Amino acid sequence: MSGKIKILYVDTPLDPPGGGQVSLLLIVKNLDRTKFEPVVFIPRECEFARLLEEEAVQYKLVSLIKLFREIRKVNPDLI
């Protein structure tokens, strides 16, 4: 496999962010960005989106109805 490994995370965050979001943020924040490209799908704007943005983690707002279509567009190596 050449290039970065694209990892897609799908989350439905709470406001304020809960333990799952804090854990996910720590994971994507500490990934070796020279080897991995994290992408996070969330269903709506929220505090968690702001935290992802602060850490320069790519995220996308994706509704449940469009989830599978968007997954195909991103074409991740791992979900």
Side-chain angles (χ1 to χ4, degrees), residues 59-71:
Y59 74 92
K60 185 168 186 173
L61 303 178
V62 177
S63 70
L64 186 58
I65 294 170
K66 297 179 181 179
L67 182 63
F68 293 109
R69 182 176 354 143
E70 293 298 321
I71 289 172

Side-chain angles (χ1 to χ4, degrees), residues 18-33:
Q21 288 78 44
V22 172
S23 296
L24 177 55
L25 185 62
L26 287 171
I27 290 169
V28 296
K29 176 179 167 179
N30 292 299
L31 277 176
D32 182 348
R33 300 281 179 95

Side-chain angles (χ1 to χ4, degrees), residues 11-27 42 44 46-49 51-52:
D11 193 53
T12 52
L14 303 171
D15 269 332
Q21 288 78 44
V22 172
S23 296
L24 177 55
L25 185 62
L26 287 171
I27 290 169
I42 53 177
R44 59 185 162 71
C46 57
E47 180 67 17
F48 185 55
L51 295 172
L52 290 169

Side-chain angles (χ1 to χ4, degrees), residues 1-12:
M1 183 178 290
S2 63
K4 295 180 184 180
I5 297 172
K6 189 179 291 188
I7 304 174
L8 173 64
Y9 300 91
V10 179
D11 193 53
T12 52

